[in-house]
Amino acid sequence: MDNWTAALLTGVACIVGYLVVRVKRISSLRQAEEKIKRARNRRDESLQRAEQAVLRYKESHPTTDSAFILTLSLSELTQQLKDGSLSPEDVLYSYMEKTLAVNKKLNCCTEVLLESLDQLKTVGSNKDGLLYGVPVSIKENLAFKDHDCSCGVVINLDQPVEKDSVLVEVLKKQGAIPFVKTNLPQALLSYNCSNPIYGQTVNPHNPQKTSGGSSGGEGALIGGGGSLLGIGTDLGGSIRIPASFSGICGFKPTARRLSSQGVCPIYRGQKSVLSSPGPMARDVDSLALCMQALLCDHMFSLDPTVPPLPFNMEIYRSSRPLRIGYLENDGYMQPSPSMARGVREVKALLEQAGHTLVPYHPLKMDEIFPELMIKGFLADGGTSLLQKLKGGPEDPCLKGQFHRYRLPKWYKTIRSFLLKPKSPRISANIRALCGVRSVPDLWKQHAAVEDYIHETIAHWRSCNIDVLLCPVIGPAYNLFYCSKIPTALSYTIVYNLLNFPAGVVTVSTVTTKDEEELKHCNGYYQDMWDKLFKEAVTGGEGLPVAVQCVALPWQDELCLRFMKEVEQLVKQSKK
């Protein structure tokens, strides 16, 4: 009888325990659904109120030539705002109307910042600012007072920040008007742009393709014409990849050149692979003007951790011939035919313009990609990221990626061992997902990063080059592929690891010949990732093709000057 009672009580306890866990799970999901509903309602309400405000303004200002305003470059627009030919009101409402139209097609906005309408009343006090009257879009994880920085995860919703980020404060001081927040992927660590709160952002050139990420909302909005200038963040290529996919320009400065106070990461404390906020725009001059505006005494005062280095216009405007390193591939991930062709064509234009081109090859990519990059930003095996996903749904595009992080270390170790003979690249990356084993190992990893930076700079100097021309991922992927191909990041994330400034310039479009050549590309390793990459970029005819420009740390102006040179030469060649 005692045994029967014990068994019964044990069974009841198990059932009760199961029911408690189940009820908590259901309650947690309901709370998540309610949070998501509130966030979507806030977005919808802001869009509706913005639409009403635009209609009222158009009725009271029927002569406003919005079509003309939208054709102006940033430099032209700032000039006309300064001399009074255009008013900040005409410009803001024109771009707000265009943003609303673009968002309906691309789903790129998370919220219209209605405070921008109030800012119109006081913007005249900053008429001397370099960005006076310019509407600026900002990525969702940049703090704007009284608004969420969710990073696409439910746990961060309903937690409005108490003050603006330093960059937002400086933008306002320079007369700019932040007017919309843009979409990003769930938990940021993806080069797609989708989350369970705001959904999937699509490409402005083809809605069957992704806009890239993580600053994909910015890329789509600017590429679609709804914004002239935006601020994104870059950890692994998060500015450069959306710029490439959406056919615009993007710049990742040297980390700490711009303030990161109020720029919200998905988790803090990771020091191996550095993130950096930076500008995204239609042309390089706009990027340079934004950097010039941000690198001011006001930013240096608000954030004393930023070195007080104003923008060096002399370097940006220099015309001296450059020694330019170049590479068509990094030996780790075979580029698409359009990626390699973009570099070849730009190399030829640079040589014709009198620059010296020098072959260059990055060091030890097969070793440092898993050991320094993957193990760097996932040193804890993904634990910190997974904690941020608790209590909410996971984006379908990212479930496979999150599942890999959750696998037990023993399973990853065994799977890595079994895959090594046939798929050495996949094997090494699975092993890297285990993270580091201890604090001493983390310190060794940090030391290895420092050593690699010094080795690369020595290699760079042995080649006697000023800047580097290299591919950037492209063309834009078909949907649902980004999380399946981590190795394609090798072309961009290496410059986060090295902390080299890097930017992207659109130079061409995918041709029929590119598509034909793609059919014969099998990749360097001929593994699953090579096969998936080929599938991801298939069907890209007509999509933008970009190249990447790189310089040594703190030589941001030189990097931008090189980008400007590429942009001008490409424009001249098309004439």
Side-chain angles (χ1 to χ4, degrees), residues 35-36 72 79 88 132 148 153 177-178 185 191 209 237 290 321 354 395 412 436 451 490 492 532 544 562:
K35 278 187 168 186
I36 291 171
L72 297 174
Q79 183 57 48
Y132 167 68
D148 286 341
V153 295
I177 305 174
Y191 59 107
K209 302 279 186 172
C290 183
D395 191 89
K412 293 174 191 171
V436 298
D451 291 343
S490 65
T492 50
L532 287 170
F562 178 36

Short mmCIF file of all heavy atoms in Angstrom, two decimals, residues 35-36 72 79 88 132 148 153 177-178 185 191 209 237 290 321 354 395 412 436 451 490 492 532 544 562:
data_model
loop_
_atom_site.label_atom_id
_atom_site.label_comp_id
_atom_site.label_asym_id
_atom_site.label_seq_id
_atom_site.Cartn_x
_atom_site.Cartn_y
_atom_site.Cartn_z
N LYS A 35 2.35 42.07 -25.82
CA LYS A 35 3.43 43.05 -26.05
C LYS A 35 3.58 43.34 -27.54
O LYS A 35 3.72 44.50 -27.95
CB LYS A 35 4.76 42.51 -25.50
CG LYS A 35 4.97 42.70 -24.01
CD LYS A 35 6.39 42.28 -23.67
CE LYS A 35 6.78 42.70 -22.27
NZ LYS A 35 8.21 42.41 -22.00
N ILE A 36 3.58 42.28 -28.34
CA ILE A 36 3.71 42.44 -29.78
C ILE A 36 2.54 43.25 -30.34
O ILE A 36 2.73 44.15 -31.17
CB ILE A 36 3.82 41.07 -30.48
CG1 ILE A 36 5.16 40.41 -30.13
CG2 ILE A 36 3.67 41.20 -31.99
CD1 ILE A 36 5.28 38.97 -30.60
N LEU A 72 16.68 65.94 -55.09
CA LEU A 72 17.89 66.66 -54.69
C LEU A 72 18.84 65.75 -53.92
O LEU A 72 18.43 64.94 -53.09
CB LEU A 72 17.52 67.86 -53.81
CG LEU A 72 16.68 68.97 -54.47
CD1 LEU A 72 16.28 70.00 -53.42
CD2 LEU A 72 17.45 69.62 -55.61
N GLN A 79 22.02 73.07 -49.14
CA GLN A 79 22.26 74.41 -49.67
C GLN A 79 20.94 75.19 -49.81
O GLN A 79 20.84 76.35 -49.41
CB GLN A 79 22.96 74.32 -51.03
CG GLN A 79 23.32 75.68 -51.64
CD GLN A 79 24.21 76.52 -50.74
OE1 GLN A 79 25.20 76.03 -50.21
NE2 GLN A 79 23.85 77.78 -50.54
N PRO A 88 12.25 73.71 -43.98
CA PRO A 88 12.30 72.39 -43.35
C PRO A 88 10.95 71.68 -43.37
O PRO A 88 10.90 70.46 -43.47
CB PRO A 88 12.74 72.71 -41.91
CG PRO A 88 13.49 74.00 -42.02
CD PRO A 88 12.78 74.76 -43.10
N TYR A 132 21.03 71.23 -41.15
CA TYR A 132 19.83 72.01 -40.86
C TYR A 132 18.66 71.61 -41.77
O TYR A 132 18.77 71.64 -43.00
CB TYR A 132 20.11 73.51 -41.03
CG TYR A 132 18.85 74.35 -41.06
CD1 TYR A 132 18.06 74.51 -39.92
CD2 TYR A 132 18.45 74.99 -42.23
CE1 TYR A 132 16.90 75.28 -39.95
CE2 TYR A 132 17.30 75.76 -42.27
CZ TYR A 132 16.52 75.90 -41.13
OH TYR A 132 15.37 76.65 -41.17
N ASP A 148 10.90 52.58 -27.54
CA ASP A 148 11.61 51.32 -27.29
C ASP A 148 12.84 51.18 -28.17
O ASP A 148 12.89 51.72 -29.28
CB ASP A 148 10.69 50.12 -27.59
CG ASP A 148 9.62 49.91 -26.52
OD1 ASP A 148 9.79 50.43 -25.40
OD2 ASP A 148 8.62 49.23 -26.82
N VAL A 153 13.45 41.83 -30.23
CA VAL A 153 13.10 40.77 -29.27
C VAL A 153 12.02 41.28 -28.32
O VAL A 153 12.03 42.44 -27.90
CB VAL A 153 14.33 40.27 -28.48
CG1 VAL A 153 15.31 39.59 -29.42
CG2 VAL A 153 15.02 41.39 -27.72
N ILE A 177 16.57 66.36 -38.46
CA ILE A 177 15.29 66.00 -37.86
C ILE A 177 15.10 64.49 -37.96
O ILE A 177 14.67 63.97 -39.01
CB ILE A 177 14.13 66.74 -38.56
CG1 ILE A 177 14.36 68.25 -38.54
CG2 ILE A 177 12.79 66.39 -37.91
CD1 ILE A 177 13.34 69.05 -39.33
N PRO A 178 15.43 63.72 -36.91
CA PRO A 178 15.15 62.28 -36.92
C PRO A 178 13.64 62.07 -37.01
O PRO A 178 12.90 62.59 -36.18
CB PRO A 178 15.71 61.79 -35.58
CG PRO A 178 16.68 62.86 -35.15
CD PRO A 178 16.10 64.14 -35.67
N PRO A 185 16.73 42.70 -37.85
CA PRO A 185 16.42 41.30 -37.57
C PRO A 185 16.30 41.02 -36.08
O PRO A 185 16.84 41.76 -35.25
CB PRO A 185 17.61 40.55 -38.17
CG PRO A 185 18.73 41.53 -38.08
CD PRO A 185 18.11 42.88 -38.28
N TYR A 191 22.15 38.83 -41.10
CA TYR A 191 22.18 39.78 -42.21
C TYR A 191 20.92 39.69 -43.06
O TYR A 191 20.88 40.13 -44.21
CB TYR A 191 23.47 39.69 -43.03
CG TYR A 191 23.81 38.37 -43.69
CD1 TYR A 191 23.69 38.20 -45.06
CD2 TYR A 191 24.32 37.30 -42.95
CE1 TYR A 191 24.04 37.02 -45.69
CE2 TYR A 191 24.69 36.12 -43.57
CZ TYR A 191 24.54 35.98 -44.94
OH TYR A 191 24.90 34.80 -45.55
N LYS A 209 13.42 39.29 -52.72
CA LYS A 209 14.76 39.26 -52.16
C LYS A 209 14.78 40.00 -50.82
O LYS A 209 13.93 40.86 -50.55
CB LYS A 209 15.75 39.94 -53.11
CG LYS A 209 15.82 39.33 -54.51
CD LYS A 209 16.70 38.10 -54.53
CE LYS A 209 16.89 37.57 -55.94
NZ LYS A 209 17.89 36.48 -56.00
N GLY A 237 29.09 43.49 -40.83
CA GLY A 237 28.67 43.90 -42.17
C GLY A 237 27.27 44.48 -42.19
O GLY A 237 26.67 44.64 -43.26
N CYS A 290 27.74 63.69 -43.29
CA CYS A 290 27.22 63.18 -42.02
C CYS A 290 28.34 62.98 -41.01
O CYS A 290 28.21 63.36 -39.84
CB CYS A 290 26.47 61.87 -42.26
SG CYS A 290 25.69 61.19 -40.76
N PRO A 321 47.55 60.37 -56.26
CA PRO A 321 47.41 58.97 -56.67
C PRO A 321 47.62 58.03 -55.48
O PRO A 321 48.43 58.30 -54.59
CB PRO A 321 48.51 58.79 -57.72
CG PRO A 321 48.83 60.17 -58.17
CD PRO A 321 48.62 61.06 -56.99
N GLY A 354 45.27 56.46 -63.11
CA GLY A 354 46.63 56.75 -62.66
C GLY A 354 47.00 56.20 -61.29
O GLY A 354 48.08 56.49 -60.77
N ASP A 395 11.66 34.15 -34.87
CA ASP A 395 11.41 34.41 -36.28
C ASP A 395 11.69 33.14 -37.10
O ASP A 395 12.73 32.51 -36.91
CB ASP A 395 12.30 35.55 -36.75
CG ASP A 395 11.91 36.04 -38.12
OD1 ASP A 395 11.05 36.93 -38.19
OD2 ASP A 395 12.44 35.51 -39.12
N LYS A 412 27.81 19.27 -30.30
CA LYS A 412 28.56 20.06 -31.28
C LYS A 412 29.96 19.49 -31.49
O LYS A 412 30.45 19.41 -32.62
CB LYS A 412 28.67 21.51 -30.80
CG LYS A 412 27.35 22.28 -30.76
CD LYS A 412 27.58 23.66 -30.13
CE LYS A 412 26.27 24.35 -29.83
NZ LYS A 412 26.47 25.58 -29.03
N VAL A 436 34.31 29.74 -25.81
CA VAL A 436 35.56 29.47 -25.08
C VAL A 436 35.24 28.72 -23.80
O VAL A 436 34.13 28.81 -23.27
CB VAL A 436 36.32 30.77 -24.76
CG1 VAL A 436 36.72 31.49 -26.03
CG2 VAL A 436 35.51 31.69 -23.88
N ASP A 451 47.07 39.87 -31.96
CA ASP A 451 48.18 39.39 -32.79
C ASP A 451 47.78 39.44 -34.27
O ASP A 451 48.60 39.83 -35.13
CB ASP A 451 48.56 37.95 -32.41
CG ASP A 451 49.21 37.87 -31.04
OD1 ASP A 451 49.67 38.92 -30.54
OD2 ASP A 451 49.25 36.76 -30.46
N SER A 490 32.48 36.42 -44.32
CA SER A 490 33.95 36.55 -44.24
C SER A 490 34.45 37.82 -44.92
O SER A 490 35.46 38.39 -44.52
CB SER A 490 34.63 35.33 -44.85
OG SER A 490 34.35 35.23 -46.24
N THR A 492 33.11 40.75 -44.92
CA THR A 492 32.83 41.99 -44.17
C THR A 492 33.26 41.93 -42.71
O THR A 492 33.85 42.87 -42.19
CB THR A 492 31.32 42.32 -44.23
OG1 THR A 492 30.55 41.16 -43.86
CG2 THR A 492 30.91 42.79 -45.62
N LEU A 532 24.29 26.33 -50.86
CA LEU A 532 23.24 27.25 -50.41
C LEU A 532 23.50 28.68 -50.89
O LEU A 532 22.56 29.41 -51.25
CB LEU A 532 23.15 27.22 -48.88
CG LEU A 532 22.52 25.97 -48.27
CD1 LEU A 532 22.71 25.97 -46.75
CD2 LEU A 532 21.04 25.87 -48.61
N PRO A 544 21.57 45.35 -57.78
CA PRO A 544 22.81 46.12 -57.61
C PRO A 544 24.02 45.22 -57.32
O PRO A 544 23.90 44.18 -56.68
CB PRO A 544 22.51 47.02 -56.41
CG PRO A 544 21.02 47.07 -56.31
CD PRO A 544 20.53 45.76 -56.81
N PHE A 562 38.61 57.36 -50.96
CA PHE A 562 38.74 56.24 -51.91
C PHE A 562 37.36 55.86 -52.45
O PHE A 562 37.19 55.64 -53.66
CB PHE A 562 39.43 55.08 -51.21
CG PHE A 562 39.60 53.84 -52.05
CD1 PHE A 562 39.87 53.94 -53.41
CD2 PHE A 562 39.51 52.58 -51.48
CE1 PHE A 562 40.04 52.79 -54.18
CE2 PHE A 562 39.67 51.44 -52.24
CZ PHE A 562 39.93 51.54 -53.59
#
